[in-house]
Amino acid sequence: MTMAADSAGQRSLLQKIPPAVKWGLIALIQLGLISVPLIDRLQVQTSGIVVPLALVPVDPRDLLRGDYVIINLEIARISPDLPGGSGIESGDEVFVSLKTNGKAAASPEAISRSRDKAGALAIRGRVDYVNSEEICVNYGIDAFFLPEGEGLIVEKLDLDRVLLDVAIAQDGRSLPMTLLVDGKAFKSDTRF
């Protein structure tokens, strides 16, 4: 059998598949690709430990999704004197060990390049820059979406009153869950 005969045989098999089945397979592949980030988000929501973190919100708008609060986590700026802080460089993937303080904001207690050395509760991030005063870490949590008009309410609040509950999975992935004002849920983003 020649290569041309093999190729013709494959084409005839494809021609025998009804168009509806072909389009159905294409649709299933697209749905699969769309569902991957949703499954990841659901896994963090269901298996993660929820920890309150202090933040500094600024309120812009997104034309498609309404208001959102830009999230600047207080733990994004870490002292280089923290255990494990020496030798950390820009671009490093790091795990920041967090110490929970009841309902108060969690605080960083160590930083490590290895998840195994980071302790029981650690959030994963990437170092944006390092200088003599701070290590700036980006955790990939940069916005919390709110219904239109409610972003201005958060913007006007005293920052000491606002916390963000974040779910942290065992591997360090994190996801914003609930915006807290005075310790009470203001808005939740637990749906995916």
Side-chain angles (χ1 to χ4, degrees):
M1 194 182 268
T2 66
M3 294 280 281
D6 284 343
S7 179
Q10 289 175 348
R11 270 185 269 155
S12 67
L13 281 175
L14 289 175
Q15 290 172 346
K16 291 179 183 178
I17 298 174
V21 173
K22 289 179 190 176
W23 285 109
L25 289 173
I26 290 171
L28 283 174
I29 291 170
Q30 289 177 339
L31 285 173
L33 292 174
I34 290 170
S35 67
V36 169
L38 297 176
I39 291 169
D40 182 55
R41 182 175 170 100
L42 183 61
Q43 182 186 21
V44 173
Q45 283 181 354
T46 58
S47 68
I49 297 170
V50 178
V51 177
L53 298 175
L55 56 95
V56 181
V58 178
D59 181 51
R61 281 190 38 75
D62 181 307
L63 293 175
L64 299 175
R65 295 182 71 184
D67 290 353
Y68 64 97
V69 177
I70 291 179
I71 297 173
N72 294 315
L73 295 172
E74 197 172 88
I75 64 167
R77 289 174 172 55
I78 298 172
S79 170
D81 297 332
L82 206 63
S86 62
I88 300 292
E89 298 177 0
S90 294
D92 285 351
E93 180 180 74
V94 294
F95 296 87
V96 177
S97 298
L98 297 175
K99 178 182 176 185
T100 56
N101 302 314
K103 291 188 178 190
S107 57
E109 62 180 359
I111 187 169
S112 173
R113 287 191 195 119
S114 167
R115 175 63 189 100
D116 296 335
K117 296 178 183 177
L121 179 61
I123 186 169
R124 180 175 62 195
R126 183 149 316 271
V127 177
D128 283 339
Y129 66 85
V130 177
N131 62 33
S132 61
E133 297 174 12
E134 65 186 9
I135 299 170
C136 184
V137 181
N138 181 346
Y139 299 101
I141 305 172
D142 57 357
F144 188 89
F145 288 89
L146 298 166
E148 191 167 340
E150 293 185 9
L152 294 173
I153 296 168
V154 175
E155 182 183 52
K156 294 176 184 177
L157 291 173
D158 181 16
L159 299 178
D160 294 336
R161 298 176 55 199
V162 182
L163 292 175
L164 179 69
D165 269 349
V166 175
I168 303 172
Q170 184 62 34
D171 62 359
R173 290 175 296 149
S174 58
L175 182 68
M177 298 288 286
T178 307
L179 194 61
L180 303 171
V181 176
D182 297 328
K184 296 179 182 152
F186 178 73
K187 287 294 172 187
S188 180
D189 193 21
T190 56
R191 66 195 181 286
F192 58 92

